[in-house]
Amino acid sequence: MKRSDRRIHFGGDYYPEQWPEEVWAEDTRLMKEAGVTMVTAGVFAWAQVEPRPGDFDFGWFDRVMDNLAQAGLRVCLATMTASPPPWLTRLHPEILPETEDGRRKWPGGRQHYCPSSPVYREYATRLVEQVAGRYAQHPALEVWHVGNEYGCHIRQCFCDVSAADFRRWLGERYGTVGALNEAWSTAFWSQRYDSFDEVLPPRLAPTFANPSQQLDYWRFSDDALRQCFLAETEVLRRVTPDVPVTTNLMPHHKPVDAFEWARHQDVMSLDFYQDPHDPDTHLSAAYNFDLMRSARGGQPWLLLEQAPSAVNWRPRNGPKPPGAMRLWSWQAVAQGADAIMYFQWRQSRGGAEKFHSAMLPHGGTGTRIHREVSDLGRELGSVPEIAGTRSRADAALLTDWNSWWALELDSRPSTALDQALINRAHHRALFDAGVACDVLPPSSELSGYKLVVVPNLYLLGEDDARRLAQYVEGGGQLLVSFFSGIVDGCDRVHLGGYPAPLRELLGLRVEEFWPLDEGVSVPVEGVDPGGPLGAPGTEGDLWSEAVELEGAEAVAVFRGGELAGRPAVTRHAYGAGTAWYIGTRLHRAAMRGLMDQVRQAAGVGPVLAGLPEGVQATVREDDEHRFLFLLNHGDEDAVVELPEPMRDRLGPYGTDRVTAVTLPPRGVAVMEH
Ligand code: GLA
């Protein structure tokens, strides 16, 4: 985004096509009053701008753009390809996607296209040529919004078009069918292929489909979605080389490898819908916001969608209580966002999302939602210098989509392992301690971090394993959790004793996996009774394993069950650093205790010492400014002592410098040094 007009952008999805044209002038007037600076437009406009094949009608959209420009508003302009119009699927029903059991997904909703379809891509790029050419010079154009939430409804398609594309993709990946047979271990169950022509997607089979084939299908499907994105992006970069390109990713979104997609975008953007029914919603947000910020090396990102209040798509959809939307919006800014946007501006009258909240509700401007939205718009507008500032972290959490896809396949020791939950449990132990954390892929440069946390990295290549060893050798503190380093990139076990590529580094061997039944916990006891795992009642669940020490020392042992007396947590001095290992899922307090011990060994402290329970603190800074964000996610008033007298940029303390602030529940303070 352009540095010249430095500000935190504020606004939302705008669908003027749902309303008579007389309403549009009121829209821009009210947007200005609410502090809106940018809207996302055109996301679902395909059927209106191309009502018949090749017959383009942009007149109405020109007026929308001009109206916005006249009001001084910027546009995050969609490529309009997110939902094919009815004529396209009538003309080409072969673009419709199919499920793994061969059922077709019909039009009538949205995103009903096979990502591999050359026909869909051809019509989509033809439209993008029109949109890009027409609005290239438009004064309102700020950033391109390609597609919409790729993989939201169609994660994988199993149709014949996809099958042919998969065979092509495999040919490029493996070269020969012999290499494919080797990679997929097809000597098992008579699965040997004699030619690529025999290969199919992992469609519904009588029993477990080949796991390597399933893993490759995740990779292929991610790539097919990305090719749709790239086909459109190619047009945009050619026609408007200076306009940044983004696409709105979803949180914890398994079909789309955010790190890989980050390489092809100019700015990352995320849609995050906090759940007011979930007391931990800010923790899930914290993890995803850290990932967004880290994916492009700390560059500010855009919160492109959130709900002003209720959504319509959970089983129950209560509103956000007063102050929650403000708190969670500031949380995004505190964790690196340079835009706070909503779905959507004006609440729909009809259609599937009419009960989804909007910045301008059915009840109009005299509503709590509209007041809270407008107040936030003004507030964000009062601190424009935040835009472009960055944060730094001493801790990194590593995760990898390939490993995620492989971890959650069928036919493993436990099907209860959930990568997103596991990652969040580790992230939470840092979050609760007030520690800043980046979320990165294992191929990252790690030497700048004092602490690296690796939750369940089941699939791990030799190179990445070596990188971890070098990191520890050089003095790093590494914390690895169970069932890591088990298979290679083809889901083949690394031979030589689990986890073979990490054995020397961790100083141990895992002889057997002992996954635990749901609801079953095993007592765990710290070897040092005064240490963090020494508290009575410490437990692990989900997983346990038979660890044999080969140089590591036990930090805690199992105190019950078949593994009583065997190590549950270990530590191994390696080079100038230490590699820690957890062989179970520690309950929250124990996990926090262990993480504190590890991070203290690493010399990693919180952003602000002495932070009250429930308060999040982050720093964003540049050469001129240093902002301290304080957010009270707890239920009680919290008094935060500041490290030095600071100026309150949002309000209650006026312009005087203060040395402490009191935050009510859901309170926010933006302090400046
Ligand atoms: C997603 C989509 C939007 C809308 C919202 C509703 O984020 O991108 O078009 O459907 O969900 O929450």
Side-chain angles (χ1 to χ4, degrees):
M1 316 289 284
K2 293 180 201 129
R3 181 82 182 201
S4 54
D5 35 61
R6 191 174 189 179
R7 62 185 157 199
I8 303 290
H9 271 299
F10 182 70
D13 271 36
Y14 181 39
Y15 298 97
E17 62 269 33
Q18 295 178 17
W19 298 94
E21 204 158 330
E22 306 86 80
V23 174
W24 300 355
E26 184 191 63
D27 281 333
T28 44
R29 180 174 61 77
L30 293 178
M31 284 175 187
K32 294 299 283 182
E33 282 175 23
V36 169
T37 63
M38 180 165 80
V39 296
T40 301
V43 179
F44 299 108
W46 192 344
Q48 270 96 343
V49 298
E50 191 181 2
R52 286 159 295 280
D55 183 357
F56 294 98
D57 173 14
F58 281 105
W60 69 274
F61 201 78
D62 292 349
R63 295 194 292 283
V64 169
M65 291 291 284
D66 293 348
N67 183 38
L68 292 166
Q70 273 156 24
L73 294 162
R74 315 292 303 160
V75 177
C76 173
L77 183 53
T79 53
M80 310 193 181
T81 55
S83 196
W87 58 256
L88 179 51
T89 46
R90 182 162 167 245
L91 208 58
H92 293 286
E94 72 274 20
I95 77 166
L96 293 171
E98 272 179 28
T99 58
E100 59 173 355
D101 55 352
R103 279 181 301 152
R104 189 172 272 197
K105 296 264 181 172
W106 293 94
R110 64 177 177 184
Q111 214 179 78
H112 42 277
Y113 61 85
C114 159
S116 288
S117 166
V119 177
Y120 166 74
R121 285 189 204 166
E122 189 189 317
Y123 279 92
T125 48
R126 184 174 80 172
L127 174 60
V128 180
E129 292 277 0
Q130 292 286 325
V131 175
R134 193 163 189 103
Y135 300 109
Q137 303 303 327
H138 199 282
L141 176 61
E142 176 83 7
V143 52
W144 287 115
H145 176 297
V146 181
N148 190 62
E149 291 191 342
Y150 280 99
C152 172
H153 308 298
I154 303 299
R155 315 174 119 207
Q156 300 187 320
C157 171
F158 296 83
C159 75
D160 287 342
V161 173
S162 293
D165 197 29
F166 186 41
R167 287 189 280 269
R168 178 201 56 77
W169 187 90
L170 291 170
E172 280 174 17
R173 185 174 174 86
Y174 294 109
T176 66
V177 75
L180 172 85
N181 280 316
E182 182 61 25
W184 285 12
S185 305
T186 58
F188 179 80
W189 278 357
S190 181
Q191 291 175 352
R192 180 190 169 277
Y193 293 102
D194 204 49
S195 105
F196 281 106
D197 298 339
E198 296 168 358
V199 181
L200 290 169
R203 289 176 176 155
L204 190 64
T207 184
F208 305 124
N210 181 310
S212 314
Q213 177 192 15
Q214 293 189 64
L215 172 58
D216 268 347
Y217 212 66
W218 277 109
R219 292 184 173 121
F220 157 76
S221 301
D222 173 42
D223 195 33
L225 290 167
R226 198 162 49 248
Q227 293 311 318
C228 292
F229 166 77
L230 290 174
E232 297 191 17
T233 302
E234 185 278 315
V235 177
L236 302 174
R237 296 211 186 282
R238 176 164 38 79
V239 181
T240 57
D242 298 329
V243 180
V245 169
T246 193
T247 185
N248 49 340
L249 301 183
M250 295 170 71
H252 293 304
H253 197 211
K254 193 170 167 181
V256 166
D257 179 345
F259 297 128
E260 193 54 41
W261 286 63
R263 303 197 302 116
H264 305 286
Q265 301 187 56
D266 297 307
V267 55
M268 295 299 279
S269 46
L270 178 71
D271 296 349
F272 194 92
Y273 286 83
Q274 286 90 348
D275 182 356
H277 298 280
D278 174 7
D280 289 342
T281 194
H282 64 290
L283 299 171
S284 168
Y287 173 78
N288 282 285
F289 295 171
D290 280 347
L291 194 153
M292 274 302 118
R293 190 194 57 248
S294 312
R296 282 186 55 83
Q299 184 190 327
W301 54 279
L302 316 176
L303 181 69
L304 223 46
E305 290 182 29
Q306 64 169 337
S309 190
V311 298
N312 64 307
W313 41 263
R314 293 193 179 103
R316 45 194 178 133
N317 296 304
K320 294 180 178 174
M325 185 276 292
R326 171 179 182 249
L327 171 69
W328 294 331
S329 300
W330 274 111
Q331 183 186 353
V333 176
Q335 293 189 241
D338 266 8
I340 296 297
M341 313 274 289
Y342 305 87
F343 179 88
Q344 60 172 323
W345 164 249
R346 188 184 277 272
Q347 191 168 15
S348 301
R349 184 171 183 204
E353 294 182 324
K354 58 184 168 297
F355 292 116
H356 192 292
S357 59
M359 300 166 76
L360 185 61
H362 291 147
T365 51
T367 49
R368 173 171 76 87
I369 294 177
H370 189 73
R371 273 193 299 278
E372 287 195 31
V373 162
S374 308
D375 288 350
L376 181 65
R378 272 188 291 276
E379 198 171 56
L380 288 167
S382 72
V383 207
E385 310 91 332
I386 293 171
T389 55
R390 293 181 174 227
S391 7
R392 60 172 310 281
D394 287 332
L397 182 150
L398 305 188
T399 193
D400 175 31
W401 259 257
N402 287 273
S403 187
W404 183 359
W405 294 324
L407 178 76
E408 294 178 3
L409 292 175
D410 45 34
S411 61
R412 5 236 82 205
S414 169
T415 53
L417 304 186
D418 176 323
Q419 188 80 62
L421 287 183
I422 292 163
N423 286 6
R424 271 166 44 198
H426 288 72
H427 185 265
R428 179 184 192 149
L430 290 167
F431 180 92
D432 286 347
V435 171
C437 174
D438 288 342
V439 178
L440 297 168
S443 55
S444 309
E445 174 56 50
L446 301 176
S447 55
Y449 294 96
K450 295 179 181 167
L451 167 63
V452 171
V453 177
V454 179
N456 295 122
L457 200 55
Y458 162 71
L459 180 156
L460 181 67
E462 302 276 357
D463 287 350
D464 289 341
R466 246 191 311 278
R467 208 189 312 278
L468 293 178
Q470 279 160 5
Y471 165 72
V472 180
E473 220 167 3
Q477 297 284 321
L478 176 74
L479 177 65
V480 177
S481 70
F482 60 88
F483 211 42
S484 292
I486 304 299
V487 297
D488 68 7
C490 302
D491 198 42
R492 291 175 305 204
V493 169
H494 288 295
L495 297 179
Y498 311 128
L502 297 175
R503 247 179 91 183
E504 191 195 317
L505 168 63
L506 298 173
L508 53 77
R509 182 166 75 100
V510 177
E511 199 184 337
E512 289 178 336
F513 306 126
W514 287 77
L516 299 170
D517 285 337
E518 211 184 323
V520 172
S521 295
V522 280
V524 169
E525 189 177 289
V527 169
D528 169 10
L533 300 178
T538 300
E539 291 183 330
D541 64 7
L542 187 71
W543 187 270
S544 61
E545 53 188 27
V547 168
E548 284 190 18
L549 299 178
E550 293 177 339
E553 58 178 313
V555 174
V557 294
F558 292 113
R559 269 295 168 237
E562 297 287 344
L563 300 178
R566 302 192 70 146
V569 178
T570 66
R571 173 172 55 200
H572 185 225
Y574 187 83
T578 308
W580 304 68
Y581 183 70
I582 322 176
T584 184
R585 180 171 74 178
L586 292 172
H587 289 182
R588 188 177 145 204
M591 184 67 195
R592 168 73 194 278
L594 177 67
M595 190 67 89
D596 282 351
Q597 187 181 3
V598 177
R599 72 174 178 79
Q600 274 151 19
V604 174
V607 170
L608 193 62
L611 214 51
E613 182 81 20
V615 176
Q616 179 184 7
T618 72
V619 168
R620 287 185 66 173
E621 60 191 326
D622 62 12
D623 294 344
E624 295 152 43
H625 300 274
R626 183 173 159 84
F627 296 101
L628 172 67
F629 297 84
L630 300 168
L631 306 124
N632 188 359
H633 298 286
D635 299 329
E636 317 252 309
D637 280 4
V639 179
V640 181
E641 305 288 341
L642 302 172
E644 60 187 74
M646 295 172 97
R647 203 153 60 92
D648 166 25
R649 291 297 308 263
L650 297 188
Y653 295 95
T655 51
D656 290 345
R657 289 183 183 268
V658 293
T659 52
V661 290
T662 302
L663 296 170
R666 302 190 195 122
V668 176
V670 178
M671 310 304 293
E672 191 174 357
H673 285 259

